[in-house]
Amino acid sequence: MKTLLEQWKANQEQKRAITAERWEQEKRWREQDREEAKAREAAEQERKAEEEARLAEEKARADETYRIIYRAHLGVLRTAATISYVSLTCHEDTWTFLARRAFGTWKPQWLTSVAQDGSDVPGPTKKDVPFTKNPNLTPGRITKHENGMQTVEVSGDNLVAILERLWDGAYSRNPYKTLMDLDPNRSACGPLHARISGWLEALEPGSASKPGHTLVLDERIEASGLT
């Protein structure tokens, strides 16, 4: 009888020891899990901090680049504003694109922005959409050439308007303007702005206010005699 009692007690002691060992093992596992979770959290926070720092650095660089480009753009506008007029030679489709962006409306066949009432010179009528800014192109300031080419006498004031709208189309950070700009040819804004800006920047100092400048937006005709 005594032996059975001792054996039972030993079994109970062994069970308690096993239970205690399991408890200690589970505690160690939980502690390890907590430490691993803390390590992962710390690593994730470090990664997020590094990512935020990288994005902040990229944004700072982008903002500085934008400021530099915009200052250059303002310099181009100042030059454009001093020009009396430019004989702009380009395809009528190019001019239509420029005019619609700068003045709100234009039709390829128009030869003037002056409203026409029974005149033989093609131009807008009272039924057409009004200009957001009237380019004041009187009869004779647009000359048609072969193959759809034409020359338009563009004032400095109108050149500023064109450059501003091209800038908005290519570089604007205004999300509303970007969302509302549904022009399928919008991608042309950047190259055209760069072409006109480069031409203005290449003008000799002091010559901008002199009349008679010629700007060609089609390299195929530079040697044709139209310029």
Side-chain angles (χ1 to χ4, degrees):
M1 187 71 176
K2 184 177 180 181
T3 302
L4 290 175
L5 180 61
E6 290 176 350
Q7 185 177 358
W8 179 83
K9 289 182 178 180
N11 288 339
Q12 293 302 310
E13 184 66 27
Q14 186 178 20
K15 288 180 180 180
R16 285 193 292 271
I18 292 174
T19 300
E21 184 177 352
R22 285 178 178 173
W23 172 251
E24 290 296 327
Q25 182 63 50
E26 289 177 358
K27 274 203 322 184
R28 286 194 296 270
W29 285 341
R30 286 195 296 271
E31 186 63 29
Q32 289 175 0
D33 289 343
R34 281 195 295 269
E35 292 299 324
E36 289 176 359
K38 287 181 180 179
R40 286 194 300 270
E41 183 179 358
E44 181 64 15
Q45 290 177 347
E46 183 178 358
R47 186 194 67 78
K48 287 183 178 179
E50 291 176 353
E51 181 67 10
E52 290 174 358
R54 183 186 67 80
L55 293 175
E57 185 178 351
E58 287 183 357
K59 184 178 183 302
R61 285 200 301 267
D63 289 344
E64 180 60 23
T65 300
Y66 185 83
R67 283 192 292 269
I68 292 171
I69 294 175
Y70 190 68
R71 282 197 297 268
H73 171 62
L74 292 178
V76 168
L77 292 184
R78 284 193 292 270
T79 302
T82 65
I83 287 179
S84 55
Y85 73 89
V86 175
S87 295
L88 174 62
T89 299
C90 61
H91 194 278
E92 63 183 16
D93 290 346
T94 302
W95 172 250
T96 299
F97 172 78
L98 294 172
R100 284 178 177 172
R101 295 198 74 91
F103 313 124
T105 184
W106 194 265
K107 294 181 180 179
Q109 67 271 23
W110 286 358
L111 290 173
T112 174
S113 66
V114 179
Q116 302 296 291
D117 292 315
S119 171
D120 293 333
V121 181
T125 67
K126 293 180 180 178
K127 295 180 181 179
D128 288 306
V129 177
F131 292 106
T132 55
K133 177 189 183 301
N134 194 324
N136 193 30
L137 292 170
T138 55
R141 290 184 62 184
I142 300 179
T143 303
K144 295 286 187 177
H145 306 298
E146 294 180 354
N147 301 320
M149 301 302 296
Q150 62 184 13
T151 298
V152 186
E153 291 185 3
V154 182
S155 68
D157 178 59
N158 285 338
L159 195 57
V160 168
I162 289 170
L163 284 166
E164 281 281 52
R165 298 291 77 77
L166 290 176
W167 172 271
D168 283 343
Y171 308 111
S172 176
R173 290 186 169 186
N174 186 322
Y176 177 78
K177 286 184 178 180
T178 302
L179 183 64
M180 297 303 293
D181 192 345
L182 303 178
D183 191 338
N185 298 315
R186 179 185 171 188
S187 59
C189 289
L192 285 170
H193 184 276
R195 174 70 177 91
I196 298 173
S197 298
W199 176 81
L200 285 167
E201 291 170 350
L203 289 178
E204 294 181 2
S207 69
S209 59
K210 297 178 182 178
H213 295 293
T214 299
L215 171 58
V216 178
L217 294 181
D218 190 332
E219 71 281 1
R220 294 173 300 174
I221 65 171
E222 288 184 347
S224 68
L226 285 176
T227 60

